[in-house]
């Protein structure tokens, strides 16, 4: 009985060397992505309701430049392609190749944000602000939220590149890279919805 009993006040702890649950991070990250899906679904629904409430202000056809948005879309879609090459190099345990393609992904992501900031500044210079109409409020909220996600993704990308540079493609870094890959491709899918639902339908 002495061997099986626990003394009063004694607690059990998991050993410090206990391995990370193999599927724990993936499951948790999928749950996070599902919460993001709900956020963007709500923003798309809001834009769907308010997207024609111009309140006498400018419309999407008057504000949007499809050529500029198409270039920005190309930047983000190309970044998804370069991230795919990074994942292929990760499979080959090629650290330098992985870092190189991740750097290319980061540059394309920065180009996307630069064009988006330029677009916002241009729209504001035309007197169309977030207070002008419900249409513009929902537009800036939806597109701005996506831009914030891309910004966070870029910060994550830089931090992960530093970790890979220091420790290589160890199991923990591979797990983080897989999560970032899911996040980045998710942002691409959301942007395709933004391009079609907000810009293309807004102009046409």
């Amino acid at each position: 009985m002495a061997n099986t009993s626990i003394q009063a006040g004694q607690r059990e702890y998991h050993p410090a060397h206990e391995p990370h649950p193999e599927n724990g991070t993936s499951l948790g990250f999928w749950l996070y992505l599902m919460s993001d899906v709900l956020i963007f679904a709500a923003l798309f629904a809001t834009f769907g309701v308010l997207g024609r409430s111009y309140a006498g202000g400018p419309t999407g056809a008057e504000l949007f430049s499809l050529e500029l948005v198409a270039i920005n879309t190309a930047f983000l879609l190309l970044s998804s392609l370069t991230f795919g090459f990074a994942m292929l190099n990760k499979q080959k345990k090629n650290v330098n190749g992985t870092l190189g393609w991740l750097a290319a992904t980061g540059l394309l992501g920065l180009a996307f944000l630069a064009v988006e900031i330029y677009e916002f500044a241009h729209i504001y210079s035309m007197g169309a602000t977030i207070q002008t109409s419900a249409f513009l409020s929902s537009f800036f909220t939806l597109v701005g939220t996506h831009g914030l996600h891309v910004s966070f993704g870029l910060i994550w990308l830089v931090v992960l590149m530093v970790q890979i540079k220091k420790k290589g493609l160890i199991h923990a870094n591979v797990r983080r890279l897989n999560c970032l890959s899911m996040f980045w491709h998710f942002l691409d899918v959301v942007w395709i919805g933004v391009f079609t639902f907000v810009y293309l339908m807004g102009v046409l």
Side-chain angles (χ1 to χ4, degrees):
M1 294 296 293
N3 293 332
T4 58
S5 62
I6 302 176
Q7 297 178 359
Q10 182 179 353
R11 297 180 179 178
E12 290 185 340
Y13 295 95
H14 293 287
H17 62 275
E18 181 175 300
H20 191 285
E22 189 64 30
N23 297 320
T25 300
S26 295
L27 175 60
F29 198 75
W30 273 110
L31 291 175
Y32 160 73
L33 283 183
M34 291 305 101
S35 69
D36 249 9
V37 168
L38 294 177
I39 292 173
F40 279 107
L43 293 176
F44 273 110
T46 301
F47 185 85
V49 173
L50 303 177
R52 296 294 182 268
S53 301
Y54 303 121
T59 67
E62 296 170 325
L63 294 175
F64 301 152
S65 168
L66 276 186
E67 293 82 5
L68 184 66
V69 179
I71 292 172
N72 218 20
T73 301
F75 283 145
L76 200 59
L77 293 181
L78 283 174
S79 75
S80 187
L81 180 64
T82 56
F83 209 124
F85 285 126
M87 296 299 286
L88 290 176
N89 278 269
K90 180 263 295 183
Q91 295 289 348
K92 299 175 183 177
K93 302 297 182 183
N94 184 349
V95 173
N96 290 332
T98 302
L99 289 174
W101 285 111
L102 288 178
T105 301
L107 290 175
L108 289 168
L110 283 174
F112 172 85
L113 284 180
V115 173
E116 189 166 282
I117 292 171
Y118 169 80
E119 181 195 28
F120 278 17
H122 177 67
I123 292 176
Y124 260 73
S125 70
M126 298 172 67
T129 69
I130 196 170
Q131 295 92 2
T132 301
S133 65
F135 155 65
L136 285 168
S137 295
S138 58
F139 164 75
F140 282 117
T141 302
L142 172 57
V143 179
T145 300
H146 179 270
L148 281 177
H149 277 70
V150 174
S151 300
F152 294 146
L154 287 173
I155 294 172
W156 185 1
L157 180 68
V158 171
V159 172
L160 185 55
M161 287 179 65
V162 172
Q163 292 175 330
I164 293 175
K165 183 68 175 178
K166 287 183 176 180
K167 299 184 179 180
L169 291 169
I170 59 175
H171 180 71
N173 284 341
V174 168
R175 185 175 67 243
R176 294 163 186 149
L177 189 58
N178 290 337
C179 290
L180 180 55
S181 175
M182 289 190 290
F183 180 75
W184 199 263
H185 293 307
F186 166 75
L187 295 181
D188 277 1
V189 172
V190 172
W191 181 254
I192 291 173
V194 171
F195 175 75
T196 304
F197 190 57
V198 176
Y199 290 102
L200 194 58
M201 292 181 64
V203 170
L204 299 180

